[in-house]
Amino acid sequence: MEQARHSLAHGFDIEAIRRAAANLDDGPVTIGYAADREAVIAMLNDALATELLCVLRYKRHYYTVSGPNNGQLKAEFLEHAQQEQEHADRIAERIVQLNGSPNFNPATLTARSHAEYDESDDVQAMVRADLIAERVAIESYRQMIQAIGDKDPTTRQMLVEILAVEEEHADDMRDFLVP
């Protein structure tokens, strides 16, 4: 009787939970994972490509912008590049947690990215390109969050956190636009 009570403690079937946890091959992905794992991995790999391309674009802008009045903008480009790299790292780690393989293939990076690379030499063109790319990322993350819904709360939370930073980036770039 004690085991039966324990087994249904607080409305949970503890024995069933323990049996499901015995499959160690799936790591953190349990039987209760409700999302389409392959679709989430594919979505995250596209987000990974986007973040990596953004790192490259911001790094290029950081290294190529010059002039005595561009120190603050140059620092902003570097900070954004570092934050985009952090996003890429978080996304790659989540893909691995979902038993997927992060796609770092440089040959297909631009085709998989939602944002575009920019080779502008004009400072304001760089800022505009970065603002557009941030707006693309914002909308992409909004759609991913909506698609995942409540089926994968861990991925959803990560995407919400990244989205907040992307919104800050867009606000920063808008501040550097010359009207």
Side-chain angles (χ1 to χ4, degrees):
M1 187 68 166
E2 178 62 34
Q3 186 167 355
R5 276 197 302 259
H6 176 67
S7 177
L8 294 173
H10 305 288
F12 296 104
D13 185 345
I14 302 302
E15 293 305 316
I17 291 170
R18 290 178 181 164
R19 280 191 306 278
N23 179 6
L24 303 180
D25 293 337
D26 288 338
V29 180
T30 66
I31 196 166
Y33 184 82
D36 177 342
R37 193 174 52 82
E38 293 303 321
V40 171
I41 290 168
M43 197 177 353
L44 290 176
N45 264 316
D46 287 349
L48 176 62
T50 302
E51 293 293 347
L52 292 170
L53 189 100
C54 288
V55 169
L56 296 173
R57 189 187 60 255
Y58 274 122
K59 284 282 195 160
R60 182 189 181 279
H61 292 171
Y62 169 73
Y63 285 111
T64 58
V65 73
S66 61
N69 299 323
N70 289 321
Q72 186 179 1
L73 178 59
K74 191 172 175 92
E76 199 71 35
F77 286 157
L78 181 59
E79 179 183 347
H80 287 200
Q82 292 165 341
Q83 290 171 335
E84 303 293 5
Q85 182 63 60
E86 290 169 8
H87 297 167
D89 292 343
R90 288 184 71 188
I91 292 167
E93 180 62 33
R94 184 61 184 154
I95 291 168
V96 170
Q97 289 171 351
L98 294 173
N99 301 317
S101 179
N103 187 345
F104 285 92
N105 185 345
T108 61
L109 190 65
T110 55
R112 293 181 291 116
S113 173
H114 297 168
E116 296 177 315
Y117 187 72
D118 176 67
E119 294 187 41
S120 299
D121 290 323
D122 175 72
V123 173
Q124 281 298 297
M126 290 178 190
V127 171
R128 277 191 298 281
D130 289 331
L131 178 54
I132 289 168
E134 294 297 352
R135 291 175 52 80
V136 166
I138 289 165
E139 187 56 30
S140 294
Y141 283 120
R142 282 189 211 280
Q143 289 185 22
M144 286 184 257
I145 290 163
Q146 184 176 11
I148 288 172
D150 295 330
K151 296 175 187 156
D152 181 344
T154 303
T155 300
R156 179 186 175 88
Q157 181 63 35
M158 177 191 71
L159 295 174
V160 166
E161 291 168 3
I162 292 172
L163 171 61
V165 176
E166 301 296 1
E167 289 174 342
E168 289 175 26
H169 289 178
D171 193 45
D172 293 341
M173 288 299 101
R174 182 182 60 182
D175 290 346
F176 283 105
L177 269 180
V178 175

